[in-house]
Structures are given as structure tokens and as C-alpha cells.
């Protein structure tokens, strides 16, 4: 089985209430830094913590609905897809998340 098809490794992020509403918590793994976002209605998304424009730390951006605004140049990124909102173009990596009870997990590539 190719490495890209290997089952992900679920990493415990923490309790849902440890991630600020309309904010993010970060974690570091060998592949880089991940920003785990929580929306106002408790949806959870995980993105590579780098804007596709200039690599700004998305975890320090402003969350509005299901989007985050990069703190460096105000690019708007969809939390679900990681795609920049037009007229900007680009995409940052996304990772699967799951919430079991009050515990948040993110799927890290192996």
C-alpha cells in the first residue's frame, strides 16, 4: 500500500473547550504545524498553519463563520477546504478531525 493510502494516525488535540470559540489551538508534528479551529457553533477544522499566500500563521487569524482571515495580508481561507476565497487563489492543506464526546482528534499523516 502506498504511504499516501496508509490509515492516518489520530492525534488527541485536547478538550473542545480548550480551543477558544472562533479561535485556534496549534500542535506540532514531524510534518509541520497544524492549526485546529473551533467555530462559534463548535465545528472543528484543521489546516496547515500557513497561509497559501506568504505562509502567515493562520492560527493567529480571525475566524468568521467557517473562514479564517490571515493576520498578515487578510487573505480569506475556507476552513473546510483550505482554499483561498476569490479573487485570491491558493490552498493550504487540510486534515480530518473528529470529536468523541468532548475530546478533539486530528488525523495526522503517517
Amino acid at each position: 500500500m502506498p504511504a499516501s493510502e496508509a490509515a492516518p494516525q489520530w492525534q488527541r488535540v485536547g478538550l473542545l473547550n480548550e480551543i477558544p470559540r472562533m479561535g485556534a489551538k496549534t500542535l506540532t508534528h514531524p510534518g509541520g504545524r497544524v492549526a485546529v479551529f473551533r467555530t462559534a457553533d463548535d465545528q472543528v477544522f484543521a489546516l496547515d498553519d500557513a497561509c497559501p499566500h506568504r505562509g502567515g500563521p493562520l492560527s493567529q487569524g480571525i475566524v468568521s463563520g467557517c473562514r479564517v482571515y490571515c493576520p498578515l495580508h487578510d487573505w480569506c481561507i475556507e476552513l473546510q477546504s483550505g482554499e483561498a476565497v476569490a479573487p485570491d487563489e491558493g490552498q493550504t492543506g487540510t486534515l480530518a478531525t473528529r470529536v468523541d464526546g468532548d475530546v478533539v482528534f486530528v488525523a495526522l499523516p503517517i
Side-chain angles (χ1 to χ4, degrees):
M1 174 185 308
S4 62
E5 294 179 17
Q9 177 181 356
W10 288 99
Q11 172 75 43
R12 185 183 191 276
V13 176
L15 298 174
L16 181 62
N17 65 10
E18 293 174 341
I19 304 170
R21 277 204 170 106
M22 301 175 67
K25 179 176 182 175
T26 61
L27 61 106
T28 303
H29 69 98
R33 208 160 90 155
V34 174
V36 181
F37 295 92
R38 177 181 176 195
T39 64
D41 61 354
D42 292 336
Q43 294 183 75
V44 177
F45 301 94
L47 302 175
D48 293 337
D49 192 18
C51 178
H53 177 223
R54 299 261 173 137
L58 294 175
S59 60
Q60 296 177 27
I62 296 172
V63 175
S64 177
C66 289
R67 295 176 172 174
V68 62
Y69 291 84
C70 179
L72 295 186
H73 301 99
D74 207 32
W75 273 39
C76 182
I77 309 297
E78 295 282 357
L79 291 173
Q80 188 161 11
S81 66
E83 293 181 16
V85 174
D88 299 320
E89 296 179 359
Q91 185 171 15
T92 193
T94 62
L95 297 103
T97 60
R98 75 171 203 246
V99 180
D100 288 341
D102 290 339
V103 182
V104 176
F105 295 87
V106 62
L108 297 177
I110 296 178

